[in-house]
Amino acid sequence: MAKQAERRAATSEAILTAARRLFGTQGFAATTMDEIADGARIAKGAVYHHFKTKEAVFEAVFDQVSRDLVVEIDGAARAEKDVLAAMVAGTQHYFAATAQGPTGQIILRDGPAVLGWERWREIDARHFGGKLPRALSAAMDAGLIARQPVEPLARLLLGAVTEAAVACAGRADIARAGAEYARAFKSLIEALRAKA
């Protein structure tokens, strides 16, 4: 029984690895289940055994990419002096990561279109989007910003970050655009900082 579970897990991982590469380089629309099966070196029927639709494969990949991105963001933010500076550093990393390459293709270009905004937000709330309310609460607890309702402030800031990331992804000068939006986000966060 354990060996069968291990085989299932290995097959599922092979599918997700192949799909992640294909979705990241070609995009969702251009990727077929046949290509995913070929990339995983399994029969197409095995892909359908694990995932009923291409959308289901994409959702699993999206969740995986989102989870990996949060790990990277945490690494970028960990060295900062306080939670507000960590929010800025983490958001800078988010802009850079989602404005280019496979991560941007999966998270911003295809994510909302394939999953729909509602499902996209639900998954994001488990990862990047969920970090913002916790960080704001921690900043309030530390006296870095004035006490206020966390949820509306988090939604406003997350909306700004998401819109900026989408704008970056659509620009030819991604690095410059990302740096500009990161500076603007830093200004927003620093404006919240309690005056000593």
Side-chain angles (χ1 to χ4, degrees), residues 116-182:
W117 274 107
E118 200 61 38
R119 185 68 182 137
W120 186 90
R121 282 188 192 111
E122 284 175 25
I123 295 170
D124 185 62
R126 292 195 309 251
H127 303 293
F128 180 77
K131 295 185 82 54
L132 207 50
R134 291 189 299 272
L136 290 170
S137 290
M140 288 177 202
D141 291 345
L144 296 173
I145 61 176
R147 284 243 174 248
Q148 56 193 293
V150 171
E151 199 253 338
L153 182 58
R155 283 192 180 270
L156 286 168
L157 290 173
L158 187 57
V161 170
T162 303
E163 179 60 28
V166 170
C168 284
R171 298 256 306 256
D173 56 344
I174 290 170
R176 187 170 145 230
E180 289 171 359
Y181 283 111

Side-chain angles (χ1 to χ4, degrees), residues 6 12 24 26-27 30 44 49 66 72 81 89 144 148 172 174 193:
E6 288 172 13
S12 183
Q26 300 177 177
K44 185 164 74 170
H49 176 73
S66 296
E72 292 175 24
K81 63 179 175 145
L144 296 173
Q148 56 193 293
I174 290 170
R193 192 178 286 276

Side-chain angles (χ1 to χ4, degrees), residues 93-132:
H93 188 84
Y94 179 84
F95 287 152
T98 59
Q100 59 189 349
T103 300
Q105 182 66 45
I106 292 166
I107 297 288
L108 293 181
R109 291 179 188 94
D110 285 338
V114 175
L115 301 171
W117 274 107
E118 200 61 38
R119 185 68 182 137
W120 186 90
R121 282 188 192 111
E122 284 175 25
I123 295 170
D124 185 62
R126 292 195 309 251
H127 303 293
F128 180 77
K131 295 185 82 54
L132 207 50

Side-chain angles (χ1 to χ4, degrees), residues 21-96:
R21 181 181 53 77
L22 290 163
F23 290 146
T25 56
Q26 300 177 177
F28 176 82
T31 299
T32 67
M33 290 294 261
D34 286 321
E35 289 173 311
I36 293 170
D38 288 346
R41 293 188 168 96
I42 60 173
K44 185 164 74 170
V47 177
Y48 281 111
H49 176 73
H50 288 271
F51 299 96
K52 299 297 180 208
T53 64
K54 185 169 79 164
E55 289 78 9
V57 177
F58 181 83
E59 183 170 325
V61 167
F62 180 88
D63 189 65
Q64 188 181 67
V65 171
S66 296
R67 189 174 45 248
D68 291 349
L69 180 56
V70 166
V71 170
E72 292 175 24
I73 288 168
D74 286 347
R78 197 167 287 125
E80 295 302 323
K81 63 179 175 145
D82 64 35
V83 70
L84 294 181
M87 286 172 63
V88 170
T91 302
Q92 287 171 330
H93 188 84
Y94 179 84
F95 287 152

